[in-house]
Amino acid sequence: MATTEKKQLLFVVNTGTYFNGLLAIALFFKKTGSYEPTIFFASHYPQIQAHGQRCAREQIATIVTDEYTEEQLTRRTIVGVVIEFCASIIRRPFFLELQRMYHSQRVATAVLRWVRPALLILAADNVSYDTALCVQIGHRFGIRSVLFPQWLADSSEPAEFFFDHPEYQVRTLFSRLISMLFPAWVHI
């Protein structure tokens, strides 16, 4: 009897909320014996290290976007070089966001080329994250996508997205005053 190769599934995780829901689905597919799930941590968030350890205990492969080196990424294009140059010289939000998106595109392309999944699985199509970018690159490679939006976001989701943005930190006198006046707005 010939053994069949397991189909690769790539789960794109952007927040702790997404991880909790997608991990249960990844474990379900893994238990069938026909699928090999990989968790792609496409965005950095506070619990990422603990979630990576959980995947290791469950023997699920992980990829962390922050761990990609320049050599592992797709080659630069002329447009990309111009974007990076403009972002380094003209430190405006527009160019910095273009630079971030260009880097995200290169990482997602490298991940999809390396894993070659049969299916791309996401928790949501959310404008705050690069989910549409992953789907678009997947389509370019002939990879279908599916969304499993089975949970509701709570206050931790936006807090995780903005946790490292200085303008959302309670550090200035004004932000401390606002946090005392509206404690429900503060997420720790």
Side-chain angles (χ1 to χ4, degrees):
M1 176 182 243
T3 59
T4 57
E5 190 174 317
K6 293 181 181 181
K7 291 183 180 179
Q8 297 292 320
L9 301 177
L10 186 63
F11 291 81
V12 180
V13 172
N14 298 93
T15 71
T17 306
Y18 293 179
F19 174 79
N20 293 328
L22 290 178
L23 180 63
I25 298 165
L27 289 170
F28 170 80
F29 278 110
K30 185 175 178 72
K31 286 179 185 176
T32 68
S34 299
Y35 298 94
E36 192 62 45
T38 298
I39 303 285
F40 172 37
F41 293 106
S43 300
H44 184 73
Y45 58 91
Q47 304 92 356
I48 199 167
Q49 187 175 11
H51 291 167
Q53 292 168 351
R54 173 80 191 277
C55 289
R57 284 193 305 273
E58 301 289 352
Q59 298 180 333
I60 292 179
T62 59
I63 299 171
V64 180
T65 191
D66 296 346
E67 294 175 356
Y68 265 80
T69 64
E70 192 60 38
E71 296 79 35
Q72 294 170 307
L73 299 178
T74 59
R75 65 181 177 80
R76 287 190 167 129
T77 62
I78 297 296
V79 173
V81 171
V82 170
I83 289 170
E84 289 177 348
F85 175 76
C86 289
S88 66
I89 301 298
I90 309 167
R91 307 281 304 163
R92 296 284 184 234
F94 173 76
F95 289 109
L96 295 173
E97 181 63 12
L98 270 179
Q99 181 183 33
R100 187 194 66 72
M101 289 295 293
Y102 176 67
H103 179 75
S104 295
Q105 179 261 333
R106 292 178 70 211
V107 169
T109 301
V111 168
L112 290 171
R113 278 191 180 141
W114 183 64
V115 176
R116 299 206 180 275
L119 187 63
L120 188 61
I121 301 170
L122 302 101
D125 188 9
N126 188 328
V127 297
S128 298
Y129 304 109
D130 299 334
T131 53
L133 186 65
C134 287
V135 170
Q136 179 189 29
I137 294 166
H139 286 176
R140 202 176 316 143
F141 291 130
I143 302 167
R144 294 181 184 215
S145 303
V146 65
L147 298 175
F148 277 102
Q150 65 191 35
W151 47 88
L152 295 174
D154 59 16
S155 63
S156 68
E157 188 172 334
E160 287 175 0
F161 180 76
F162 293 115
F163 86 99
D164 61 349
H165 293 232
E167 63 270 24
Y168 295 100
Q169 303 295 317
V170 181
R171 292 190 178 145
T172 66
L173 181 60
F174 179 72
S175 63
R176 286 188 182 132
L177 175 64
I178 296 297
S179 72
M180 287 187 279
L181 292 172
F182 303 99
W185 292 1
V186 178
H187 185 82
I188 298 175

